[in-house]
Amino acid sequence: MLVREQMEECTLSFSIPKQLLSLYIQEDMRRVQDLRELGELSPHWDNLRKEVMTRYGGIISSYQETLAELDKITGRSFKPSCCKAQKSLEFIPINLHTQRMRVTCPRKTDAFYDIVTVGAPAAHFQGFKCSGGLQRLLSRYEAEKKSFSTAYQCIYYSPEHTAKAQEVLSTMSLLQPLITSLADQLLQAAQEHSSPGLRDALKNLSDKTEQFVHTLKDELVKSALLALHAARPGYISKNQKQNPMQGGQHQGHIHQGSDQNQSPVQGLPGHSPATSVTESTVMCNNVEGSQARGDGGALPPKHQDSIPHHKEYDEEEWDRVWANVAKCLNCVIAMVDKLQEEDNSKPEQVPEQQLADVITSHNPGDWGEQLCPVVTRLKECVMEVVEKAKRAMTFVLLQEAACSIPQGFLLQQRRDVVFSQALAALACGFVMRLYAGMQDKGFLRQLHLVGLVAQFESLLSTYSEEIGMLEDMEVGITDLQRVVFKITEAKTDDLSDLQPLVCGRRDHFIVEVPLPRLVFQTLPEEIKEGKPLRVFPVLFNVGINEQQTIAERFGDISLQERINQKNFEKLEAYYKSLNEKVPLECLPCFQTQTDIKELLETLGQNVVTKKRKNVEILWIAGTICRRLNGIRFTSCKSAKDRTSMSVTLEQCALLRDEHQLSKDFFIRALDCMRSRLAQGDIGHWEDPEAGTVTENKPASRHFYPIALLLVSSHLLVVWLILSLVFLLAKYQ
């Protein structure tokens, strides 16, 4: 048996964080510009806006300085653990490396096993001593934000509302230019008198416009418009003039409004038949009339006992503007139906009549001229809705930012740091797994039908600072759910054109992975067409060092138990989805015949079992990940000692289980892998951590056996007790 271990640095260690920093800067600069475009606000809100813009400016300046420092770095493509607390490198993952074990033996086809090793994604520069990590900080922040909202006279928005506002802004920024482009394609098909092209363009336009309308069918937009109106200058003074006792008491009031479950979109694919031409003409006239009069063609109902500011602000205006988009789309659908019916029923022209039409430059069937007015009206209505909804959602985010100063901004920076490290590791693992499975049709089918599971194995203890690291890591791994991958065709086969590219914003990122042209052509059509490829990150943690012994005996391990239970449920849900959409034949074959369902049941039992240092959880989770074509990651504080122990033990176990490595050679192979240098004829080696050349010596100080860990843990407890006795005697 010939076993070759190959460990490499990953260029994405710096590439991905630098791209993320640029995207963070662009997003925050857009946020500042949106705040400026809110228009005139009352002095109270204007002061809050200035303060929020100042905070954003500070973040932008800090990120620009960090990006400038990273651009200066050349040479190495990884961050050693000795630099983990360096500010200029805080976005870079620690010790990100890829490891591949290639096995050649006569008993089985050649095989290789990949694993990515990386230090725990955490904000080491910001530290953990004072208040812990992200998971604890975010929970405390949400609890305190309600009191801050009262102090700042803001409306309290839950994380779900804030996420919804960001989603609306993101969706509008994507759909508005897309709808405009599809509308132009519809007009182009009409000018070319192409019935198939007209039908295809109309279907795409209808689908995207319907998605646009349903995105805005949310009471949050309507209530935010009302709150924004209340924040305009002079609003309170008008109320005071009408009723001085009520002045200012409705600042930031949320009006629940009427039920909007009924979608105004009619005549779309999958809905009721299209409106008749006569009805559509009247509908379009009503839309135009409402734009001219500002009353939707009818007077708003009078409210006898309404709050005074309701008389100043037409609450039904948003309903009309929002519904006009669907009405205009109905007009377009009806007009297309009319043109196609007329074209089908029109008798074939004789050559003399065609010649007369050309001479007089008159074409009674010119589709472009007839469609242009209704398509133009649709684009105008979409633009009007975008402007109103954008201001409303920006005001929601302004209030959320105002009542979170300064803690919210500090948490966002910490979250950006942790996510950057996690995404760099995920992108590295995804690219490695993609190239490894390029010839596997079953893997490619699984990739576009369901997605891949990314299993992060953590060896952090639940004691002291490592609790904060684990809390950071949990949030960072969870945030990876907002990432999708797309495969694109590279412009050239040059290495610079094969680097993954990141685009998007904090609530949704897309990582584009370019492939060489010849490789790209072999992919399934769904992937070549740009279908988003999902990744399902799961995290399992079991502390194994001496500090974990102290935590289990005298501390609290509930964080570890909760993480393992939560992520077991995610892994189980992924397997159910995979089992429904992909046949088991697509999964890789292993010598071990244990069914994946049985492995999941065993994992579930171990997760709920109260057992100290239950490493069976990590063993079973890793086995399931490989059986599911997943991506394997192993982490500890710095991805050195504990990580190397875990990886080498896993590799020897694979040799034993999959390649019939004799038990007599197991320890020998393990010792060989854990030595600093396997080849004895090489006299020196370079230590990337120390940056010096060291003599070839055994690595006993780093790669100690597990038995010594168990013994030393008991010795540590004895040492602590004796130290405590000594201190008490000394100070008495």
Side-chain angles (χ1 to χ4, degrees):
M1 184 187 300
L2 176 64
V3 179
R4 183 192 182 203
E5 294 179 270
Q6 183 177 0
M7 190 175 185
E8 298 285 351
E9 301 170 10
C10 182
T11 57
L12 302 186
S13 291
F14 282 79
S15 171
I16 296 296
K18 287 165 68 174
Q19 293 182 63
L20 275 178
L21 276 168
S22 298
L23 293 174
Y24 291 152
I25 293 169
Q26 294 172 16
E27 180 178 348
D28 289 343
M29 292 178 71
R30 284 196 301 267
R31 187 70 55 80
V32 171
Q33 183 62 30
D34 291 342
L35 289 172
R36 288 197 184 101
E37 294 174 355
L38 268 180
E40 194 175 359
L41 299 175
S42 64
H44 169 73
W45 286 108
D46 193 48
N47 290 333
L48 288 179
R49 172 169 59 178
K50 290 177 181 177
E51 187 173 0
V52 170
M53 290 170 62
T54 301
R55 292 285 179 176
Y56 276 124
I59 294 177
I60 292 171
S61 298
S62 175
Y63 286 4
Q64 287 174 336
E65 291 175 4
T66 301
L67 187 58
E69 290 295 323
L70 292 178
D71 287 336
K72 298 177 183 177
I73 297 176
T74 57
R76 69 186 182 200
S77 56
F78 80 103
K79 180 175 78 173
S81 62
C82 58
C83 300
K84 60 175 171 284
Q86 189 173 329
K87 178 171 174 51
S88 61
L89 297 176
E90 62 178 342
F91 287 86
I92 311 300
I94 302 170
N95 275 336
L96 176 59
H97 287 82
T98 61
Q99 175 133 337
R100 170 168 291 177
M101 181 179 71
R102 191 181 299 273
V103 185
T104 304
C105 68
R107 299 182 181 180
K108 187 179 179 181
T109 308
D110 293 358
F112 57 86
Y113 304 92
D114 295 335
I115 193 166
V116 178
T117 58
V118 62
H124 294 276
F125 171 76
Q126 300 181 31
F128 315 94
K129 289 183 178 180
C130 298
S131 51
L134 269 174
Q135 191 271 333
R136 198 187 324 172
L137 290 170
L138 289 171
S139 300
R140 187 183 308 159
Y141 164 70
E142 288 301 329
E144 295 175 350
K145 198 165 67 169
K146 293 184 179 180
S147 60
F148 290 147
S149 63
T150 304
Y152 283 96
Q153 300 180 25
C154 302
I155 300 171
Y156 169 73
Y157 288 103
S158 66
E160 292 76 19
H161 284 141
T162 304
K164 181 63 180 179
Q166 294 173 340
E167 178 189 345
V168 170
L169 285 173
S170 178
T171 305
M172 287 192 305
S173 65
L174 292 174
L175 290 181
Q176 188 267 328
L178 186 58
I179 290 174
T180 301
S181 174
L182 291 172
D184 293 338
Q185 291 179 21
L186 182 69
L187 289 177
Q188 181 66 30
Q191 292 173 358
E192 295 173 357
H193 217 279
S194 170
S195 291
L198 200 64
R199 284 194 301 270
D200 293 341
L202 179 62
K203 183 181 183 304
N204 294 332
L205 178 63
S206 300
D207 292 342
K208 296 304 177 183
T209 307
E210 183 181 22
Q211 182 183 351
F212 177 82
V213 170
H214 281 285
T215 298
L216 299 174
K217 191 184 69 172
D218 195 286
E219 202 61 38
L220 178 64
V221 182
K222 187 175 181 180
S223 64
L225 282 170
L226 180 58
L228 176 59
H229 172 75
R232 297 297 185 191
Y235 167 75
I236 297 179
S237 62
K238 290 182 180 180
N239 282 345
Q240 288 173 339
K241 288 180 181 179
Q242 294 181 6
N243 189 349
M245 299 300 295
Q246 295 182 2
Q249 74 179 33
H250 300 293
Q251 180 85 8
H253 170 72
I254 298 183
H255 180 71
Q256 295 300 323
S258 58
D259 184 16
Q260 292 184 359
N261 292 331
Q262 181 78 22
S263 173
V265 182
Q266 302 292 334
L268 298 182
H271 292 77
S272 57
T275 313
S276 65
V277 178
T278 305
E279 291 173 342
S280 297
T281 305
V282 174
M283 189 183 299
C284 292
N285 291 334
N286 287 338
V287 172
E288 294 177 1
S290 67
Q291 299 293 326
R293 297 192 306 273
D295 59 359
L299 293 175
K302 295 183 179 181
H303 299 277
Q304 299 296 333
D305 300 321
S306 61
I307 299 174
H309 68 256
H310 286 189
K311 297 179 181 178
E312 303 166 21
Y313 176 72
D314 185 1
E315 298 177 32
E316 297 180 357
E317 179 185 2
W318 169 250
D319 293 338
R320 290 193 295 270
V321 173
W322 171 71
N324 279 347
V325 175
K327 293 178 181 178
C328 288
L329 180 61
N330 288 335
C331 294
V332 173
I333 294 173
M335 182 61 71
V336 171
D337 291 343
K338 173 188 174 185
L339 294 175
Q340 289 184 331
E341 289 176 3
E342 290 178 352
D343 187 65
N344 293 334
S345 61
K346 182 176 62 177
E348 187 176 352
Q349 287 184 320
V350 296
E352 292 80 3
Q353 182 62 40
Q354 293 178 353
L355 179 61
D357 288 339
V358 172
I359 294 174
T360 59
S361 298
H362 172 68
N363 184 5
D366 189 352
W367 291 358
E369 291 183 0
Q370 299 183 58
L371 263 181
C372 187
V374 289
V375 171
T376 302
R377 170 53 61 192
L378 173 64
K379 293 194 289 186
E380 291 174 351
C381 287
V382 168
M383 182 59 68
E384 182 182 6
V385 168
V386 166
E387 291 176 357
K388 288 183 176 293
K390 184 179 180 180
R391 287 196 296 267
M393 295 299 95
T394 300
F395 190 65
V396 169
L397 297 180
L398 168 62
Q399 295 179 86
E400 196 273 340
C403 66
S404 63
I405 295 174
Q407 186 66 14
F409 288 90
L410 296 176
L411 283 178
Q412 186 61 67
Q413 287 180 273
R414 189 183 191 101
R415 201 166 188 170
D416 289 345
V417 167
V418 175
F419 178 77
S420 173
Q421 298 177 26
L423 181 59
L426 179 65
C428 172
F430 182 88
V431 172
M432 193 177 187
R433 186 67 189 88
L434 177 65
Y435 276 94
M438 200 62 68
Q439 305 300 323
D440 187 347
K441 301 300 182 183
F443 165 77
L444 295 175
R445 183 178 180 184
Q446 173 188 351
L447 180 61
H448 73 79
L449 286 178
V450 184
L452 298 181
V453 64
Q455 187 245 331
F456 288 80
E457 173 186 302
S458 170
L459 304 169
L460 293 171
S461 68
T462 54
Y463 180 81
S464 187
E465 290 188 354
E466 292 197 6
I467 296 179
M469 297 177 199
L470 184 57
E471 290 173 339
D472 274 1
M473 186 176 184
E474 179 191 6
V475 176
I477 300 305
T478 302
D479 285 347
L480 292 176
Q481 296 174 350
R482 300 176 295 171
V483 178
V484 296
F485 289 82
K486 285 187 178 180
I487 311 300
T488 60
E489 183 178 353
K491 298 178 181 178
T492 67
D493 291 351
D494 189 73
L495 289 178
S496 60
D497 290 329
L498 297 176
Q499 291 291 314
L501 303 174
V502 185
C503 58
R505 50 198 298 165
R506 284 184 176 94
D507 60 324
H508 181 71
F509 284 104
I510 300 174
V511 181
E512 296 182 356
V513 181
L515 294 180
R517 185 179 64 84
L518 295 178
V519 177
F520 182 79
Q521 295 301 324
T522 64
L523 296 175
E525 289 299 323
E526 294 86 352
I527 297 180
K528 288 196 290 186
E529 291 172 0
K531 181 178 180 179
L533 309 175
R534 296 188 62 191
V535 173
F536 298 83
V538 292
L539 168 66
F540 290 94
N541 183 86
V542 176
I544 62 171
N545 64 355
E546 298 90 340
Q547 290 185 335
Q548 184 63 23
T549 302
I550 300 174
E552 290 177 342
R553 294 189 176 183
F554 308 110
D556 181 16
I557 61 171
S558 59
L559 173 63
Q560 175 176 287
E561 293 173 343
R562 182 183 57 78
I563 289 175
N564 291 340
Q565 178 62 42
K566 178 181 176 182
N567 285 274
F568 165 72
E569 294 170 359
K570 291 182 180 179
L571 184 60
E572 192 176 35
Y574 171 81
Y575 173 70
K576 289 180 180 178
S577 176
L578 181 69
N579 200 28
E580 293 172 358
K581 299 179 181 179
V582 178
L584 295 179
E585 292 76 18
C586 293
L587 299 178
C589 297
F590 284 85
Q591 294 292 324
T592 52
Q593 299 299 320
T594 310
D595 184 65
I596 299 179
K597 190 174 182 180
E598 294 180 14
L599 289 172
L600 280 169
E601 292 175 356
T602 306
L603 178 61
Q605 294 170 2
N606 277 274
V607 163
V608 298
T609 300
K610 301 291 184 180
K611 181 181 177 182
R612 292 178 180 175
K613 295 185 179 179
N614 189 2
V615 293
E616 286 293 321
I617 293 175
L618 303 181
W619 278 98
I620 300 171
T623 302
I624 293 173
C625 176
R626 292 197 184 277
R627 297 282 293 273
L628 295 178
N629 268 328
I631 313 169
R632 284 275 292 115
F633 301 85
T634 299
S635 299
C636 62
K637 181 178 179 179
S638 302
K640 293 192 301 181
D641 302 348
R642 283 169 279 179
T643 297
S644 60
M645 292 287 289
S646 174
V647 170
T648 51
L649 191 59
E650 179 180 357
Q651 290 181 160
C652 284
L654 287 169
L655 294 177
R656 178 195 62 197
D657 298 336
E658 301 300 323
H659 301 275
Q660 292 79 46
L661 175 67
S662 173
K663 293 181 180 180
D664 298 334
F665 287 91
F666 185 90
I667 299 299
R668 182 177 173 182
L670 188 61
D671 290 341
C672 179
M673 290 181 181
R674 288 178 176 176
S675 63
R676 283 188 179 271
L677 198 63
Q679 298 179 0
D681 57 337
I682 299 179
H684 297 82
W685 73 291
E686 185 176 352
D687 185 352
E689 289 293 320
T692 60
V693 175
T694 312
E695 292 183 1
N696 178 24
K697 296 180 180 179
S700 57
R701 66 185 180 92
H702 282 309
F703 303 106
Y704 36 81
I706 294 179
L708 184 58
L709 276 177
L710 299 177
V711 174
S712 61
S713 64
H714 291 281
L715 293 176
L716 179 62
V717 174
V718 174
W719 177 81
L720 287 173
I721 295 174
L722 293 176
S723 300
L724 182 61
V725 172
F726 174 77
L727 289 174
L728 290 174
K730 180 179 178 181
Y731 288 102
Q732 282 180 353

